[in-house]
Amino acid sequence: MGRTVGTLSDLDSLLGCMSRVVAATRHVVQEKVYLHFDNTGYFMGEKMWFTAYVVRADGHRPGVRSRVLYVELLNPGGDVVQRRKLKIDDRGHAHGDLSLDSLYGAGFYEVRAFTRYMSNWGGAACFSRVFPVFRAPSTPGAYEPVIDERSYRRRLPDFREPDTLHRSRLNVSFYPEGGRLVSGLRSRVAFQVSDGGGRHVSADGELLDGEGRVVGRGSSDSTGRGVFTVPASCDGLRFRLRDARGRFKEFPLPESSSEGCVLELPPSLDDSLRFSVRGTASYRDRLLGYMLMNYGRVWSCDTFRVGSGYHKSYLRDSLPEGVNQLTVFDGRGRILCERLFFLFPKPSASDTIRVTSETTRLTPCGKVRLRLHAVPGSVFSFSAMDGGTVFNGRGPSVKSWMLLSSEVKGYIEDVGYYFESDDSVHRRASDLLMLVQGWRRYDWEELSGYRSRNPEKWHPVEDMLYITGHLRSLKKSLPVDGIPIKVYVYSGGSYTDGEMLTDSAGRYAFSLPDVWGEWNLQLKAGVNKLKSRYLVTVDRRFGPPSRRLSPYECRSLPFLPSYLPLLPDTLEFDTLPLLSLSERLHKLPEVDVKAKHRFTEGARAAWATEKRGQYWADVYYDCDEETERYLDEGKEIPLFSDWFMERSEFVDLSHTPFYTGASGEMDSNPLEEAAVETGDMEKSLTSGKEHVEWGRYKGRPIV
């Protein structure tokens, strides 16, 4: 039977999809950020110093439009305990610090960084890294990495993203290569084996058909990943594994589609890269398209017909390095099959910074002179640490983060492994990583117009400091458009103000000059007679949800032995002050003692200050911050007991005398009253080199 010829409308539809994707990737350019820290682990009371690099996702070059970077510190439970707003310069650089002197306990803390524009793509588009924070040393110099056991209590509330996998002693997740299984078409399926704690499991498995016959086999490596082939008849298939007790456990495969296409791109051992597309009878004579993207740039695209099987080959050297996205689509812009693949980056002298030591012998308290070699005109950050105090691994480098870690979902245990070599073993490992943890930074169906994004939830590019929000009315009959909003921002003897009218939806926006330090913010709406019927909200709760952490990034690694040769007999005494033995009296320089008196006995004394209470507490809640969250969103502030029981599943206050239910009244302890009495309701907005908090005032926003 001859092949039918596609109509002009089919070709026009495919070309239209390609044109929309090309235009969208040029217009909607994503951003990436990487943070370079001064250490890999910290003690309570220290500061985390960092330098940030913000680049365009397409090409990893400076040129972003965002000028405000948000850096947050999250405690082990997922709550944001600190937030910095930093100014991004013209080169995409920013720098700052996070103070660890007010933490409630030791544990594994997450640092994440993002621009407001990056939050449109969720938490996977943000920078994230976990650091161990150890208990402060009891005596100066006794730097032993100790994390309190209370930080690991399972009864503590966890506000991170829930694990979607129902955990048992043995668990398997399946990832069909092209995205889905199709009945009647043979395809490859990657899988991930883990135990109840989410740790990798090496296991051998068998693929069984509906009658219990073995039709395929697959083994997982040390990372728990593996791959097997599903035959054309994929109904009723089960994957059987043996657990640690020797018992077999069976897992059903994902449901298959009756119509569709499958994509196969196996790791090759030569210099070529080949992919093939097969489809069911309804797709074999249809005109389809494929597109190859690299970090948001369209690299290649064409139309084709599946027929009995479409095959395409590329020379590996002709393709861009790093993570590539291959998409097969129809004329409507709907994805038929899609997958990611990784190409080993080619070595280049321009991406290397060399460090050599001019000091031939090391001495205690002696100076070390280093020489750094880089590309002329480049800007880089530098940190030095003792090799014996690398607490939790070296973590990702700027190259591994930009090229790989930022393009996959979840934590990569040893990201440097994929940059070691381009042999067959590393190619297979990177291919399994792409199949299991690959995510789509650019949603192709949104770019093609097949699925639209809600413009109301789209966060803008912050090219400078802004105050944005809504004026909300408690009754639908009250107008919210054309109402004047006044803003006052002041600190000490400096201030700035402005006024504007709300739009039809009640939205307002103010631009601000660059400011540093702590400033006060006051908002006022021109509705004096009806002020009790309006609420002024502020848009600043756009951070992504707290991601679920991998057990491999929340572990203390053993210390690496330090082999630095120390020569005490060659100590450079000229660098130390000397005291003459002929003088009978020596006047020592004055010092300022900043240590505070510690309470040693009595429960009342231990809780006399809030900071001391945080030190002894297992959980710390910031009621002022929670009150601000309700005010920002224009919601009613709940009673403390209702809020506390909703916050923690381990607390039940319904039997206490002062509790009367969610609709009743309480004589004391509402969340709102606690915040008003302390006068500590804050509006934070701006940025700078240091922490900036806007507005400390009593009561509700002024309307």
Side-chain angles (χ1 to χ4, degrees):
M1 189 172 86
R3 188 175 65 181
T4 60
V5 179
T7 63
L8 184 61
S9 60
D10 295 335
L11 180 61
D12 291 341
S13 299
L14 292 172
L15 294 179
C17 289
M18 297 177 185
S19 300
R20 289 192 293 271
V21 172
V22 171
T25 53
R26 292 178 178 177
H27 177 68
V28 186
V29 179
Q30 293 194 29
E31 300 171 347
K32 288 185 182 181
V33 58
Y34 173 78
L35 264 57
H36 180 203
F37 294 89
D38 65 326
N39 214 328
T40 60
Y42 300 88
F43 290 90
M44 296 178 61
E46 291 186 323
K47 280 191 176 183
M48 306 174 66
W49 298 93
F50 58 85
T51 299
Y53 299 90
V54 188
V55 298
R56 293 167 56 106
D58 57 343
H60 305 120
R61 299 288 182 181
V64 299
R65 293 183 296 166
S66 295
R67 288 294 180 266
V68 182
L69 178 67
Y70 298 85
V71 181
E72 296 178 339
L73 179 67
L74 284 74
N75 63 19
D79 281 332
V80 177
V81 294
Q82 284 190 49
R83 196 183 208 193
R84 298 288 189 267
K85 304 173 187 64
L86 308 175
K87 181 180 180 180
I88 305 173
D89 60 21
D90 295 336
R91 289 193 173 188
H93 300 160
H95 57 88
D97 66 90
L98 294 168
S99 180
L100 306 180
D101 58 355
S102 60
L103 304 182
Y104 70 82
F108 290 92
Y109 285 74
E110 178 190 3
V111 178
R112 64 184 185 185
F114 57 93
T115 63
R116 185 170 184 178
Y117 181 62
M118 289 172 58
S119 63
N120 291 309
W121 291 273
C126 305
F127 173 86
S128 175
R129 184 174 175 182
V130 176
F131 291 89
V133 178
F134 303 105
R135 191 171 58 193
S138 56
T139 58
Y143 295 107
E144 297 182 1
V146 178
I147 295 181
D148 300 327
E149 287 296 327
R150 62 184 179 186
S151 300
Y152 295 103
R153 291 182 182 176
R154 293 182 177 272
R155 66 177 182 84
L156 298 182
D158 190 351
F159 305 110
R160 296 188 177 275
E161 290 179 332
D163 191 354
T164 57
L165 184 64
H166 179 67
R167 293 287 177 184
S168 59
R169 290 190 178 92
L170 197 62
N171 306 274
V172 180
S173 299
F174 299 103
Y175 306 90
E177 183 170 16
R180 63 175 63 90
L181 295 175
V182 180
S183 300
L185 298 178
R186 177 179 55 87
S187 60
R188 297 197 311 158
V189 175
F191 63 95
Q192 173 84 59
V193 186
S194 60
D195 61 10
R199 296 172 179 82
H200 308 324
V201 175
S202 299
D204 297 327
E206 298 175 334
L207 185 63
L208 308 178
D209 62 7
E211 299 179 358
R213 295 174 298 185
V214 178
V215 295
R217 287 182 170 85
S219 300
S220 61
D221 56 15
S222 59
T223 63
R225 308 186 191 105
V227 65
F228 58 83
T229 301
V230 174
S233 178
C234 56
D235 295 330
L237 296 180
R238 309 179 307 278
F239 193 64
R240 183 173 64 183
L241 289 175
R242 186 193 299 268
D243 60 14
R245 299 183 178 182
R247 295 179 297 185
F248 288 101
K249 187 175 182 180
E250 297 182 355
F251 303 88
L253 266 64
E255 295 184 2
S256 59
S257 302
S258 58
E259 300 289 337
C261 297
V262 295
L263 173 66
E264 185 174 359
L265 198 158
S268 59
L269 305 181
D270 52 18
D271 295 332
S272 62
L273 185 141
R274 295 174 291 273
F275 73 89
S276 61
V277 180
R278 296 186 303 275
T280 55
S282 60
Y283 284 91
R284 290 174 184 171
D285 293 329
R286 293 177 56 181
L287 191 64
L288 305 176
Y290 76 87
M291 178 172 288
L292 180 64
M293 295 176 59
N294 175 259
Y295 301 111
R297 297 173 300 178
V298 177
W299 193 262
S300 175
C301 57
D302 201 356
T303 60
F304 70 98
R305 297 183 188 278
V306 176
S308 58
Y310 177 77
H311 304 274
K312 181 70 176 181
S313 298
Y314 286 98
L315 291 176
R316 298 180 71 93
D317 292 339
S318 65
L319 295 175
E321 63 182 18
V323 178
N324 294 272
Q325 177 177 337
L326 178 61
T327 306
V328 177
F329 56 95
D330 59 13
R332 295 186 298 166
R334 182 170 61 98
I335 296 176
L336 301 179
C337 46
E338 184 182 46
R339 67 157 295 181
L340 304 182
F341 62 93
F342 179 76
L343 294 181
F344 188 79
K346 306 174 183 63
S348 174
S350 62
D351 59 4
T352 301
I353 298 177
R354 293 183 292 112
V355 182
T356 58
S357 174
E358 295 183 354
T359 304
T360 58
R361 295 182 300 179
L362 300 178
T363 59
C365 302
K367 295 181 179 180
V368 178
R369 185 179 297 275
L370 301 176
R371 183 178 295 274
L372 286 80
H373 306 263
V375 178
S378 60
V379 177
F380 59 90
S381 55
F382 171 80
S383 64
M385 69 189 76
D386 187 350
T389 60
V390 178
F391 296 111
N392 207 35
R394 299 188 181 277
S397 64
V398 61
K399 182 176 181 179
S400 64
W401 172 264
M402 293 296 180
L403 294 182
L404 183 57
S405 299
S406 58
E407 299 294 324
V408 302
K409 187 175 183 179
Y411 175 72
I412 304 178
E413 183 179 357
D414 185 10
V415 66
Y417 174 79
Y418 302 96
F419 294 85
E420 289 180 350
S421 177
D422 194 24
D423 55 23
S424 59
V425 177
H426 288 77
R427 286 186 182 182
R428 181 179 182 274
S430 63
D431 189 66
L432 287 175
L433 177 67
M434 292 293 100
L435 289 173
V436 172
Q437 291 185 227
W439 75 290
R440 279 59 173 168
R441 172 174 287 276
Y442 288 87
D443 191 325
W444 202 92
E445 290 186 343
E446 287 187 358
L447 299 177
S448 66
Y450 179 77
R451 185 175 62 254
S452 60
R453 177 184 288 268
N454 185 3
E456 293 292 333
K457 297 182 179 181
W458 186 262
H459 296 285
V461 175
E462 284 187 316
D463 55 351
M464 61 187 305
L465 296 174
Y466 290 103
I467 301 174
T468 61
H470 288 74
L471 178 66
R472 303 182 185 276
S473 62
L474 300 180
K475 291 187 177 181
K476 295 183 179 180
S477 59
L478 297 177
V480 294
D481 60 324
I483 296 179
I485 302 290
K486 293 183 179 180
V487 60
Y488 303 91
V489 182
Y490 54 92
S491 176
S494 303
Y495 81 97
T496 181
D497 58 358
E499 181 178 351
M500 72 163 299
L501 299 179
T502 59
D503 63 6
S504 59
R507 293 174 295 194
Y508 66 88
F510 295 93
S511 61
L512 297 173
D514 293 342
V515 292
W516 285 264
E518 183 174 327
W519 289 61
N520 298 299
L521 167 67
Q522 190 176 30
L523 294 170
K524 185 176 182 180
V527 287
N528 294 328
K529 295 182 179 180
L530 300 173
K531 61 182 181 180
S532 62
R533 301 183 183 181
Y534 283 91
L535 291 174
V536 178
T537 66
V538 179
D539 298 332
R540 55 172 177 162
R541 308 292 177 178
F542 48 81
S546 303
R547 67 179 179 90
R548 187 169 186 85
L549 302 181
S550 167
Y552 291 96
E553 57 185 333
C554 297
R555 58 177 179 172
S556 295
L557 299 179
F559 278 115
L560 298 177
S562 179
Y563 299 105
L564 299 179
L566 297 178
L567 303 176
D569 56 333
T570 60
L571 182 62
E572 300 176 2
F573 288 102
D574 57 339
T575 63
L576 301 176
L578 300 179
L579 299 178
S580 175
L581 295 178
S582 61
E583 299 181 16
R584 297 178 60 88
L585 298 177
H586 298 278
K587 184 178 180 180
L588 300 178
E590 294 183 359
V591 296
D592 294 331
V593 179
K594 298 181 179 180
K596 297 181 179 180
H597 175 68
R598 291 180 175 270
F599 297 106
T600 57
E601 59 183 353
R604 182 179 181 85
W607 291 93
T609 63
E610 181 181 2
K611 189 173 183 179
R612 189 60 181 171
Q614 294 182 36
Y615 178 81
W616 289 106
D618 290 321
V619 185
Y620 171 71
Y621 297 104
D622 192 338
C623 293
D624 298 334
E625 178 66 19
E626 290 296 322
T627 302
E628 283 293 285
R629 184 182 300 275
Y630 284 99
L631 294 176
D632 288 344
E633 298 174 356
K635 298 179 180 179
E636 183 179 356
I637 302 176
L639 300 178
F640 175 78
S641 55
D642 296 332
W643 171 83
F644 197 21
M645 287 191 295
E646 181 181 359
R647 186 72 170 171
S648 176
E649 60 179 317
F650 308 103
V651 176
D652 184 9
L653 301 178
S654 59
H655 64 281
T656 56
F658 59 83
Y659 180 78
T660 59
S663 59
E665 295 183 357
M666 189 169 56
D667 295 335
S668 61
N669 290 334
L671 187 63
E672 179 184 5
E673 290 181 5
V676 172
E677 289 176 358
T678 60
D680 201 18
M681 304 171 67
E682 62 182 34
K683 291 287 181 185
S684 66
L685 182 67
T686 188
S687 97
K689 296 181 179 178
E690 301 295 334
H691 187 204
V692 182
E693 294 181 344
W694 280 52
R696 289 184 174 271
Y697 56 89
K698 291 186 177 182
R700 293 178 176 272
I702 300 174
V703 296

